[in-house]
């Protein structure tokens, strides 16, 4: 790049990069590697910076792809990195900045090259590039056959064994990122990869014993949310006079090559986003999600998924069930706190879903917490801002609620938690409301949004299932929550009448003309009637199980009693209407006896008295409404593209050319 150059545009002509990518083999012991690896810059923190870097070095990468079969320089670079990582732990303990700096630079170059290689060739071709040696063109070296596995294993060891300090932060982040790049071959296949060379290395052999330690470390990286140290920390500590001893050594080693190569600039001020975020926590979580969603091997299940399913609380002294090959313990309180704080991101919500769904230890712990509002409120906020979220994020939030509402203890306790001033709820000022009533309001709002916008049956079903699970434990419903339940029923009733009218008109029209095809109103009518029946069952469940606890619901029911008249004799609803009809008749009679011009307070007082007087045996008992979340038969068809879309779109992840992506369309991804 020249003695004083730091321009990206000059990288293709850089003499050291040209030598690395050239046809001449470079020995692992050549002083060239010290010169190549002595550059200083702030590691790119977003895809825009990485795009600039990739565009500047594409010619270098192409040359290496072409010449590597003769030179074996990729393998030599990897061996140089492997040899240096053997001393990394000692270097960290001794604060050896220079050694860690050069090891980081080697890994950064490897990661950049790997990304290009993986995007342009098959795994089999990539494997061949790891086996080329310098001695004879095209000859495969016996001792190099497992260089991929050695590099993968080294990266895992680096993540789990090197202490996280300011000087090791960048190399730890680069190790996590390189593992993601290794697994990114999935991005370039339309079909879900079920057999992969990289997967095989990670799930068998030398990498397998590190499974639980890797999962644990990635979880702790997420929990700790360590911010990136100030730019340049991992390189050298600059003095006011322009450089200290270490900087002088580094410049000498570099022989004026990359005096300071900047992407954003060494010592430049971080953006507010960089100050607030933790690139290592973000990348660690993404890697964890990718590993957990690898498909099972034909002869063995995914060990990373097994580890996520089986880990326990550090406070839990009971023995692990046998066999538990990848079990470990982690601080559940710290994990819970991190999950509560990070729910604004898709990946944190997906992790919460996975843990609740797959790990019974985590689920039991969370349901026993006395501060569930800290977890539930961020989930409700995701649903409340449904128009600002992608559909996958909304689904995950909704399924989390469905899983939580499967537990009767949860359904009871949420009505005991009183919240003050929910500022993000803008439809109405809520100065005081129970968590249970707020949950009902947000779920009903999601249903109404779905009815007018997306019309997604899956979303409808899960919203109603969550309400149904809670209905028997509705307690002291807020008057606004009670109103919204009846308002939703009113909306459904109007929709039912409209579809019925359209069907009737269509039928009349078809009698006079048989040329045009009939719209399928019968199917629309069937769907809306299913939803109406579900709403009636939810209201009925509350009345049958907790009538005396919900005077506001009875009030709303009486206020809109005319709505229910048309469904009394409808064959699809007659059975479930019996209790509702009885309650309306019973309380209407008591209000008539009390006289006209009653105040709201007086009506509620009469309802409360009537609830005590109404014999419970007069209300017909129905089977308890209970819906359980069941994962799709082939969940990987949903989760693998979803996880990779998160990796692709992550602000601190890697840049991939959208034209190369095969797994998902860029519109949906």
């Amino acid at each position: 790049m020249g003695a004083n150059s730091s321009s990206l545009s000059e990288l293709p002509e850089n003499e050291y990069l040209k030598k690395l990518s050239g046809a001449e083999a470079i020995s692992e012991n050549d002083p060239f590697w010290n010169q190549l690896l002595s550059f200083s810059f702030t590691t790119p923190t977003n895809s825009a910076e990485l795009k600039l870097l990739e565009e500047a070095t594409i010619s270098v990468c192409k040359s290496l792809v072409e010449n590597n079969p003769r030179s074996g320089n990729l393998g030599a670079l990897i061996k140089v990195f492997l040899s240096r990582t053997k001393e990394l732990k000692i270097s960290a303990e001794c604060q050896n900045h220079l050694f860690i700096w050069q090891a980081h630079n080697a890994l950064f170059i490897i990661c950049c090259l790997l990304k290009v290689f993986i995007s342009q060739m098959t795994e089999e071709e990539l494997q061949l590039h790891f086996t080329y040696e310098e001695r004879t063109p095209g000859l495969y070296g016996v001792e190099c056959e497992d260089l991929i596995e050695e590099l993968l294993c080294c990266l895992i060891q680096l993540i789990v064994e090197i202490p996280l300090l300011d000087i090791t932060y960048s190399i730890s982040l680069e190790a996590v990122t390189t593992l993601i790049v290794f697994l990114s071959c999935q991005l370039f296949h339309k079909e879900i990869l079920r057999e992969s060379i990289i997967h095989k290395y990670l799930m068998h052999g030398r990498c397998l014993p590190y499974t639980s330690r890797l999962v644990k470390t990635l979880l702790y990286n997420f929990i700790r949310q360590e911010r990136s140290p100030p730019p340049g920390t991992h390189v050298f500590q600059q003095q006011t006079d322009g450089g200290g001893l270490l900087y002088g050594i580094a410049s000498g080693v570099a022989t004026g090559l990359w005096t300071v190569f900047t992407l954003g600039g060494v010592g430049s001020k971080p953006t507010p986003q960089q100050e607030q975020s933790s690139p290592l926590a973000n990348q660690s979580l993404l890697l964890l999600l990718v590993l957990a969603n690898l498909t099972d091997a034909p002869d063995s299940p995914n060990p990373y998924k097994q580890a996520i399913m089986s880990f326990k609380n550090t406070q839990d002294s009971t023995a692990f069930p046998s066999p538990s090959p990848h079990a470990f313990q982690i601080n559940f309180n710290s994990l819970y706190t991190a999950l509560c704080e990070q729910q604004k991101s898709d990946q944190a919500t997906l992790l919460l879903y996975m843990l609740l769904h797959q790990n019974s230890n985590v689920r039991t712990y969370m349901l026993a917490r006395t501060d569930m509002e800290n977890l539930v409120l961020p989930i409700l906020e995701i649903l409340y801002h449904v128009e600002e979220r992608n559909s996958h994020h909304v689904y995950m939030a909704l399924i989390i609620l469905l899983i939580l509402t499967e537990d009767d203890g949860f359904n009871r306790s949420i009505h005991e938690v009183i919240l003050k001033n929910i500022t993000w709820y803008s439809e109405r000022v809520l100065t005081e409301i129970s968590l249970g009533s707020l949950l009902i309001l947000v779920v009903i709002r999601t249903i109404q949004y779905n009815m007018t916008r997306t019309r997604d049956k899956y979303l409808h079903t899960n919203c109603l299932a969550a309400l149904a699970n809670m209905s028997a434990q509705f307690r002291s419903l807020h008057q606004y929550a009670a109103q919204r339940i009846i308002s939703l029923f009113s909306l459904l009733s109007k929709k039912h009448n409209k579809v019925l009218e359209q069907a009737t008109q269509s039928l009349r029209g078809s009698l006079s003309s048989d040329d045009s095809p009939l719209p399928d109103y019968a199917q629309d009518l069937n769907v809306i009637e299913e939803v109406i029946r579900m709403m009636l069952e939810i209201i009925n469940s509350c009345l049958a199980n907790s009538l005396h606890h919900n005077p506001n619901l009875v009030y709303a029911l009486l206020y809109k009693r005319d709505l229910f008249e048309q469904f009394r004799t409808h064959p699809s609803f007659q059975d479930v209407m019996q209790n509702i009809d009885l309650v309306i008749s019973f309380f209407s009679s008591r209000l008539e006896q009390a006289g006209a011009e009653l105040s709201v307070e007086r009506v509620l007082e009469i309802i409360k008295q009537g609830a005590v007087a109404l014999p419970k045996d007069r209300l017909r008992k129905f089977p308890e409404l209970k819906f359980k979340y069941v994962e799709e038969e082939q969940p990987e068809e949903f989760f693998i593209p979803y996880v990779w879309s998160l990796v692709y779109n992550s602000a601190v992840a890697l840049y991939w050319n959208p034209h190369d992506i095969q797994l998902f369309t860029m519109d949906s991804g």
Side-chain angles (χ1 to χ4, degrees):
M1 210 161 54
N4 299 307
S5 172
S6 62
S7 170
L8 280 174
S9 62
E10 296 178 27
L11 280 179
E13 299 305 314
N14 178 270
E15 59 180 294
Y16 290 95
L17 291 179
K18 287 175 78 172
K19 185 173 181 180
L20 173 68
S21 61
E24 179 189 346
I26 307 168
S27 165
E28 297 162 44
N29 301 315
D30 196 302
F32 162 83
W33 299 110
N34 274 340
Q35 297 167 326
L36 174 72
L37 302 179
S38 295
F39 59 89
S40 306
F41 69 100
T42 302
T43 304
T45 56
N46 59 56
S47 55
E49 291 176 353
L50 281 156
K51 181 183 178 183
L52 292 174
L53 180 62
E54 180 168 309
E55 289 171 349
T57 55
I58 193 68
S59 61
V60 173
C61 294
K62 284 182 177 177
S63 295
L64 185 62
V65 170
E66 184 181 333
N67 293 319
N68 190 56
R70 291 186 293 279
S71 70
N73 284 343
L74 176 65
L77 171 61
I78 290 167
K79 287 179 182 178
V80 167
F81 169 71
L82 291 173
S83 68
R84 295 184 183 221
T85 55
K86 291 171 185 174
E87 306 297 327
L88 266 182
K89 196 169 183 180
I90 296 171
S91 298
E93 291 167 357
C94 299
Q95 296 282 305
N96 188 335
H97 290 242
L98 183 61
F99 196 89
I100 295 169
W101 168 41
Q102 290 198 335
H104 165 268
N105 289 351
L107 183 54
F108 179 75
I109 295 173
I110 290 167
C111 187
C112 291
L113 294 173
L114 268 178
K115 192 171 71 65
V116 175
F117 274 56
I118 287 170
S119 67
Q120 294 184 0
M121 62 186 69
T122 66
E123 281 191 298
E124 289 74 20
E125 291 170 328
L126 176 69
Q127 195 173 31
L128 285 178
H129 274 278
F130 274 76
T131 61
Y132 295 131
E133 291 218 12
E134 61 182 85
R135 292 170 302 189
T136 308
L139 182 69
Y140 307 158
V142 177
E143 70 273 17
C144 287
E145 284 181 357
D146 290 323
L147 194 58
I148 290 182
E149 182 175 33
E150 195 172 345
L151 178 56
L152 287 168
C153 200
C154 174
L155 293 172
I156 293 171
Q157 288 172 333
L158 197 159
I159 294 167
V160 303
E161 292 179 355
I162 304 302
L164 188 58
L165 310 168
D166 276 2
I167 60 171
T168 61
Y169 190 98
S170 289
I171 194 167
S172 296
L173 174 59
E174 206 61 50
V176 172
T177 302
T178 307
L179 279 178
I180 293 175
V181 169
F182 256 122
L183 290 158
S184 68
C185 47
Q186 176 64 79
L187 279 172
F188 309 103
H189 290 79
K190 285 184 179 179
E191 304 299 323
I192 301 301
L193 283 180
R194 299 188 186 278
E195 289 189 19
S196 159
I197 293 168
I198 305 302
H199 295 187
K200 185 178 176 183
Y201 281 128
L202 285 170
M203 295 202 286
H204 298 87
R206 293 171 57 190
C207 295
L208 187 62
Y210 292 96
T211 298
S212 58
R213 289 179 67 191
L214 178 59
V215 171
K216 184 175 182 177
T217 303
L218 295 175
L219 275 172
Y220 269 128
N221 285 349
F222 166 70
I223 289 168
R224 289 171 181 145
Q225 293 289 318
E226 291 282 355
R227 293 182 182 180
S228 181
T233 303
H234 68 293
V235 183
F236 50 81
Q237 300 296 327
Q238 282 184 292
Q239 309 285 329
T240 52
D241 60 359
L245 174 63
L246 186 58
Y247 180 51
I249 296 172
S251 298
V253 172
T255 60
L257 163 62
W258 330 66
T259 307
V260 176
F261 167 41
T262 61
L263 280 172
V266 174
S268 63
K269 289 184 179 179
T271 64
Q273 290 79 9
Q274 287 172 318
E275 285 180 342
Q276 293 167 11
S277 67
S278 168
L280 181 60
N282 185 70
Q283 294 292 76
S284 294
L285 179 52
L286 290 171
L287 176 58
L288 182 63
L289 294 174
V290 170
L291 290 170
N293 285 282
L294 296 179
T295 54
D296 293 337
D299 54 342
S300 62
N302 177 349
Y304 302 98
K305 185 175 181 179
Q306 283 187 312
I308 283 175
M309 290 172 68
S310 59
F311 71 83
K312 299 195 323 184
N313 193 357
T314 47
Q315 308 297 316
D316 188 346
S317 57
T318 59
F320 280 102
S322 183
S324 299
H326 307 297
F328 62 91
Q329 291 180 287
I330 202 166
N331 187 310
F332 276 16
N333 184 56
S334 301
L335 177 61
Y336 180 81
T337 302
L339 285 167
C340 292
E341 291 173 351
Q342 300 300 321
Q343 284 309 304
K344 287 184 179 178
S345 77
D346 279 71
Q347 44 267 42
T349 305
L350 180 53
L351 176 64
L352 175 58
Y353 157 77
M354 284 170 48
L355 295 178
L356 279 172
H357 178 53
Q358 297 173 0
N359 190 313
S360 59
N361 301 318
V362 172
R363 185 167 60 252
T364 301
Y365 173 84
M366 288 188 175
L367 288 168
R369 293 282 303 205
T370 56
D371 59 348
M372 275 299 288
E373 66 273 17
N374 291 337
L375 187 69
V376 175
L377 282 172
I379 298 299
L380 293 183
E381 216 173 330
I382 293 167
L383 292 175
Y384 186 79
H385 297 295
V386 58
E387 63 279 354
E388 299 169 17
R389 306 289 180 182
N390 69 69
S391 60
H392 290 354
H393 199 183
V394 172
Y395 285 151
M396 288 299 100
L398 193 51
I399 292 167
I400 286 166
L401 286 186
L402 181 55
I403 292 170
L404 292 173
T405 60
E406 290 170 16
D407 183 77
D408 285 342
F410 171 83
N411 295 332
R412 282 190 297 271
S413 66
I414 54 174
H415 292 287
E416 297 166 4
V417 178
I418 304 302
L419 307 167
K420 308 265 189 186
N421 300 317
I422 307 302
T423 53
W424 48 262
Y425 194 96
S426 59
E427 273 88 343
R428 179 164 172 159
V429 176
L430 299 174
T431 53
E432 188 171 289
I433 190 171
S434 72
L435 180 59
S437 288
L438 181 64
L439 198 159
I440 292 165
L441 284 174
V442 172
V443 171
I444 287 174
R445 186 179 183 274
T446 307
I447 294 172
Q448 291 182 321
Y449 176 85
N450 187 48
M451 284 175 67
T452 56
R453 307 283 182 87
T454 54
R455 301 186 180 183
D456 186 324
K457 187 179 177 182
Y458 181 81
L459 198 68
H460 253 30
T461 304
N462 284 285
C463 283
L464 290 167
L467 287 177
N469 284 347
M470 293 188 292
S471 59
Q473 274 87 31
F474 283 173
R475 293 287 187 279
S476 305
L477 289 184
H478 191 281
Q479 61 180 37
Y480 186 52
Q483 288 170 19
R484 298 310 295 162
I485 291 171
I486 304 304
S487 295
L488 175 58
F489 185 80
S490 174
L491 189 66
L492 292 166
S493 176
K494 288 175 185 174
K495 194 172 182 65
H496 177 267
N497 293 340
K498 184 178 179 182
V499 173
L500 196 59
E501 185 182 342
Q502 289 172 333
T504 306
Q505 289 177 352
S506 177
L507 191 60
R508 285 175 186 156
S510 69
L511 295 175
S512 57
S513 170
D514 47 25
D515 296 336
S516 56
L518 280 172
D520 192 2
Y521 289 116
Q523 186 180 352
D524 289 348
L525 204 59
N526 186 50
V527 170
I528 195 72
E529 286 184 357
E530 281 181 15
V531 177
I532 286 174
R533 179 171 178 88
M534 190 83 156
M535 278 303 298
L536 287 172
E537 287 180 341
I538 289 166
I539 295 168
N540 178 70
S541 172
C542 176
L543 296 177
N545 291 283
S546 54
L547 173 70
H548 57 293
H549 287 300
N550 292 292
N552 284 326
L553 182 62
V554 176
Y555 184 100
L557 202 61
L558 292 170
Y559 192 75
K560 293 283 187 179
R561 71 190 83 177
D562 294 345
L563 277 176
F564 299 89
E565 194 64 37
Q566 70 184 88
F567 300 107
R568 289 176 63 190
T569 56
H570 195 295
S572 299
F573 312 122
Q574 273 182 318
D575 59 336
V576 78
M577 273 298 300
Q578 287 179 21
N579 285 344
I580 297 171
D581 197 29
L582 173 66
V583 168
I584 290 173
S585 301
F586 177 81
F587 285 97
S588 295
S589 172
R590 293 183 73 91
L591 289 173
E592 285 171 11
Q593 291 171 16
E597 304 298 328
L598 300 173
S599 67
V600 173
E601 291 77 14
R602 178 62 183 144
V603 171
L604 284 170
E605 186 183 333
I606 293 167
I607 289 171
K608 289 173 185 176
Q609 292 169 353
V612 176
L614 178 65
K616 291 183 179 179
D617 57 1
R618 288 186 62 186
L619 293 173
R620 179 182 167 187
K621 289 294 181 185
F622 286 84
E624 188 180 5
L625 292 178
K626 271 299 167 190
F627 293 88
K628 194 173 179 64
Y629 169 68
V630 179
E631 204 167 63
E632 299 291 329
E633 285 185 15
Q634 290 186 305
E636 66 273 9
E637 298 289 340
F638 170 84
F639 285 105
I640 291 176
Y642 180 31
V643 168
W644 278 107
S645 73
L646 298 180
V647 175
Y648 179 86
N649 290 307
S650 176
V652 294
L654 291 138
Y655 168 76
W656 281 282
N657 189 326
H659 301 296
D660 295 334
I661 305 298
Q662 297 292 316
L663 181 61
F664 45 78
T665 62
M666 296 323 300
D667 290 337
S668 64

